[in-house]
Amino acid sequence: MNILVTLDQNYLRHAQVMLFSLLVNNPGERVCLYLISDDVQEDDLAPLRRVCDAFGATARLLHVDADWFLDAPTMRYYSRAMYYRLLAWQVLPQELDRILYLDPDILVIGPLAALYGMPLGDRLFAAAIHKGIIDLSGPVNRIRLAAYESDGYFNSGVLLMDLQRARREMKPEDIFRFVRENKSMLLLPDQDILNGLYGERIAPIDETLYNYDARKFREYLLASQGERDMDWVMTHTSILHFCGKRKPWNAHMGRFAALYKHYAALAARYAGERQ
Amino acid sequence: MNILVTLDQNYLRHAQVMLFSLLVNNPGERVCLYLISDDVQEDDLAPLRRVCDAFGATARLLHVDADWFLDAPTMRYYSRAMYYRLLAWQVLPQELDRILYLDPDILVIGPLAALYGMPLGDRLFAAAIHKGIIDLSGPVNRIRLAAYESDGYFNSGVLLMDLQRARREMKPEDIFRFVRENKSMLLLPDQDILNGLYGERIAPIDETLYNYDARKFREYLLASQGERDMDWVMTHTSILHFCGKRKPWNAHMGRFAALYKHYAALAARYAGERQ
């Protein structure tokens, strides 16, 4: 199982929690983690490697050649790193045919084998639609998503990628052009690119299973007429995603705060950072 | 690290969650679990043994010879199993010198080495005082605890035992006599015996570290003037105890419900009971 994270140094410790939770919840899987970063150095990875060692997983740090982004338009607030997720196939070893990208603000709480092995057909990606989080009624958003007629908006935080197909069919120029043409309307660049340019090429996955928005317990419960209660979540959901500004590593008293903070402490212990 | 549980078949799956949480949170410890039960059979232990195998732990089932309790007074609602915790030294292998008894409604969320290794001096036990849970103002309770002048009441759910000292100094007759003499006043028999007969022989441990009452988050937070918030708990507390009637395996929407239910699901997966 190949896992991808793209991050800067500030998020490394959160990615470590995500990775630890993935490993505890997927015993028996051979996990290879690929990290793409501009500022993380090999030395920074010692704690994360101790987590890997405890579970027989491997981690490999990849750097991106600056030349590859000479043609990339930049946007205020965003570095070229915003491209790493969608262009990871350029940097990843050629022999990899599939990889699962995961945001660092994720907690894996169940098995990932079914997601990882799902048939993609002729799609490039699999991702979950997050309903109702983005307000689609505003003028900016209507324009922004005009090209993509859909009843939802794919969240790019959990993204299964067919790398072989991506190498054949994706072109950096397409992405750079899309950014150039829509620059003023992109609010969440990587996610907007994914939806705007590749919305039709994404196989949908169930958000309550693989991209559960940790803010939306009540909404999921109501929408399922009471079925998706805490017992359901804890026996069915595999990926909890702490979307939004309030992160569980800061003060955060949501229903899943204790669970996240416990994993953070436990990961730190496995990483040798705490008693 | 020797761990003791005394239980009937209904509690076996909860003990399995407790054991799993203990093992995940104490990597590198050699854990030997001893189970004392009247109705659990060797065959019932297959799932629990798979959990043990995943962490290199061992489990041993001990049965109690009925003859040993010929002199034991019985009480309505309580079987002779109420004696197993305090008289475990009679059944446990002679070579064991120390054991940590843990209730099955416990979740271990941190390291136990410091507790397990604590010096007991001339005490028989270590346990935590639960303040304010038992109403000591009622006449029954005043009588009940008359022999034990203290500002608290030891909870018997986490009980470190010096087995060598117990073999030398504890006598089943003392316990049986205490029960006979106080029968009408015993509400929580094993705990009342522990406090009434051995209250002076218990080394106190910090309840917020090793016997955190999961119902009392607010009380601990207030009593500590805000210090013991969720971050503190998740980096300091090693044992969460789901005291009281509302158990997290039933509907239970406390702050720690997600954490408990996650561990229950994960333990079941390691035990081979679920995908």
Side-chain angles (χ1 to χ4, degrees):
Chain A
M1 186 178 285
N2 303 311
I3 303 295
L4 172 65
V5 292
T6 66
L7 77 184
D8 61 24
Q9 214 164 14
N10 293 330
Y11 268 73
L12 186 56
R13 67 195 177 99
H14 309 312
Q16 183 173 295
V17 177
M18 185 277 284
L19 173 70
F20 173 80
S21 68
L22 187 159
L23 294 170
V24 169
N25 283 276
N26 288 271
E29 294 285 351
R30 237 191 89 254
V31 173
C32 304
L33 178 73
Y34 294 87
L35 298 104
I36 304 182
S37 175
D38 284 329
D39 61 356
V40 171
Q41 302 300 320
E42 197 52 53
D43 285 353
D44 301 325
L45 292 185
L48 186 132
R49 288 197 188 283
R50 283 190 286 270
V51 170
C52 286
D53 290 349
F55 296 89
T58 59
R60 192 164 153 191
L61 181 61
L62 302 171
H63 285 287
V64 173
D65 193 330
D67 296 349
W68 294 17
F69 289 89
L70 288 180
D71 297 335
T74 52
M75 290 174 60
R76 56 178 188 162
Y77 308 138
Y78 292 95
S79 71
R80 60 179 196 167
M82 77 184 208
Y83 295 111
Y84 294 172
R85 186 178 328 193
L86 290 178
L87 293 177
W89 51 271
Q90 290 197 294
V91 202
L92 290 164
Q94 286 297 312
E95 66 271 21
L96 302 194
D97 56 2
R98 184 171 277 217
I99 203 162
L100 177 62
Y101 168 87
L102 294 173
D103 267 353
D105 55 357
I106 270 174
L107 201 62
V108 178
I109 60 168
L112 296 181
L115 169 63
Y116 194 82
M118 75 176 271
L120 282 176
D122 62 355
R123 315 293 179 101
L124 289 161
F125 306 104
I129 289 172
H130 273 186
K131 297 189 186 81
I133 288 296
I134 299 285
D135 175 10
L136 291 167
S137 62
V140 170
N141 282 303
R142 255 187 292 121
I143 298 168
R144 182 170 148 225
L145 298 175
Y148 166 58
E149 298 200 304
S150 152
D151 54 356
Y153 182 79
F154 285 103
N155 179 278
S156 63
V158 175
L159 195 60
L160 181 65
M161 308 184 185
D162 181 335
L163 293 172
Q164 289 187 323
R165 198 169 283 276
R167 288 183 199 107
R168 285 198 308 269
E169 303 181 18
M170 287 178 72
K171 297 188 183 64
E173 312 85 83
D174 293 345
I175 293 177
F176 300 157
R177 190 185 325 113
F178 181 84
V179 171
R180 228 173 268 121
E181 288 170 3
N182 297 280
K183 218 166 170 173
S184 61
M185 293 184 286
L186 301 182
L187 296 180
L188 304 165
D190 58 66
Q191 203 152 280
D192 290 341
I193 300 166
L194 180 73
N195 281 277
L197 206 48
Y198 301 107
E200 307 287 341
R201 308 298 308 280
I202 306 173
I205 53 179
D206 184 339
E207 65 175 311
T208 61
L209 296 181
Y210 295 118
N211 198 339
Y212 184 104
D213 187 332
R215 296 169 297 183
K216 289 176 29 180
F217 177 82
R218 271 165 202 278
E219 286 87 333
Y220 293 134
L221 184 69
L222 288 171
S224 66
Q225 296 175 303
E227 188 207 3
R228 295 182 182 186
D229 59 7
M230 192 55 84
D231 283 301
W232 189 96
V233 173
M234 288 304 155
T235 49
H236 291 80
T237 301
S238 285
I239 298 180
L240 274 185
H241 191 176
F242 292 86
C243 305
K245 282 184 188 160
R246 295 177 64 224
K247 295 302 185 193
W249 49 80
N250 299 325
H252 170 88
M253 286 314 298
R255 248 170 252 268
F256 301 104
L259 180 63
Y260 188 89
K261 287 172 194 290
H262 169 63
Y263 263 104
L266 188 49
R269 288 185 188 116
Y270 272 76
E273 294 171 333
R274 277 185 208 145
Q275 201 291 83
Chain B
M1 185 179 285
N2 304 311
I3 303 295
L4 172 66
V5 292
T6 66
L7 77 183
D8 62 25
Q9 214 164 14
N10 293 329
Y11 268 73
L12 186 56
R13 66 195 177 99
H14 309 311
Q16 184 173 295
V17 178
M18 185 277 283
L19 173 69
F20 173 80
S21 68
L22 186 159
L23 294 171
V24 169
N25 282 276
N26 288 271
E29 293 284 350
R30 239 191 88 253
V31 173
C32 304
L33 178 74
Y34 294 87
L35 299 103
I36 304 183
S37 175
D38 283 330
D39 61 356
V40 172
Q41 302 300 320
E42 196 53 52
D43 285 352
D44 301 325
L45 292 185
L48 186 132
R49 287 196 190 282
R50 283 190 285 271
V51 170
C52 287
D53 290 348
F55 296 88
T58 59
R60 193 165 153 190
L61 181 61
L62 302 172
H63 285 286
V64 173
D65 193 331
D67 297 349
W68 294 17
F69 289 89
L70 288 179
D71 298 334
T74 52
M75 288 173 61
R76 56 178 188 164
Y77 308 137
Y78 293 95
S79 71
R80 59 179 196 167
M82 77 183 208
Y83 297 111
Y84 294 172
R85 186 177 329 193
L86 290 178
L87 293 177
W89 51 272
Q90 290 195 297
V91 202
L92 289 165
Q94 287 299 310
E95 66 272 20
L96 302 193
D97 56 2
R98 182 171 279 217
I99 202 162
L100 176 62
Y101 168 87
L102 294 173
D103 268 353
D105 55 357
I106 270 174
L107 201 62
V108 178
I109 59 168
L112 295 181
L115 169 63
Y116 194 82
M118 74 175 273
L120 282 175
D122 61 355
R123 315 294 179 101
L124 289 161
F125 306 104
I129 290 171
H130 273 186
K131 297 189 187 81
I133 289 295
I134 299 285
D135 175 10
L136 290 167
S137 63
V140 171
N141 282 303
R142 254 187 292 119
I143 298 167
R144 181 171 149 225
L145 299 175
Y148 166 59
E149 298 200 302
S150 152
D151 53 357
Y153 181 80
F154 286 103
N155 179 279
S156 63
V158 175
L159 195 60
L160 182 66
M161 308 184 184
D162 181 335
L163 293 172
Q164 289 187 323
R165 196 169 286 275
R167 288 181 199 108
R168 285 196 308 267
E169 303 182 18
M170 287 178 72
K171 297 188 182 64
E173 311 87 83
D174 293 345
I175 293 177
F176 301 157
R177 190 185 325 111
F178 181 86
V179 171
R180 227 173 270 120
E181 290 170 1
N182 297 280
K183 217 165 170 173
S184 61
M185 293 184 287
L186 300 182
L187 296 180
L188 304 165
D190 59 65
Q191 202 153 281
D192 289 342
I193 300 167
L194 179 74
N195 281 276
L197 207 48
Y198 301 107
E200 306 287 340
R201 308 296 309 281
I202 305 172
I205 53 179
D206 184 340
E207 65 176 310
T208 62
L209 296 181
Y210 295 117
N211 198 338
Y212 184 105
D213 187 332
R215 298 169 297 183
K216 289 177 29 180
F217 177 81
R218 272 166 202 278
E219 287 87 331
Y220 293 134
L221 184 68
L222 287 172
S224 66
Q225 296 175 303
E227 188 207 1
R228 296 182 182 186
D229 59 7
M230 193 55 85
D231 284 300
W232 188 95
V233 173
M234 289 304 155
T235 49
H236 291 80
T237 300
S238 285
I239 298 180
L240 273 186
H241 192 177
F242 292 86
C243 305
K245 282 184 188 160
R246 295 177 64 225
K247 294 302 186 193
W249 49 80
N250 299 324
H252 170 89
M253 286 313 299
R255 245 169 255 268
F256 301 104
L259 180 63
Y260 188 89
K261 288 172 193 291
H262 170 63
Y263 264 103
L266 188 50
R269 289 188 187 112
Y270 273 76
E273 294 172 331
R274 276 184 211 149
Q275 201 289 84

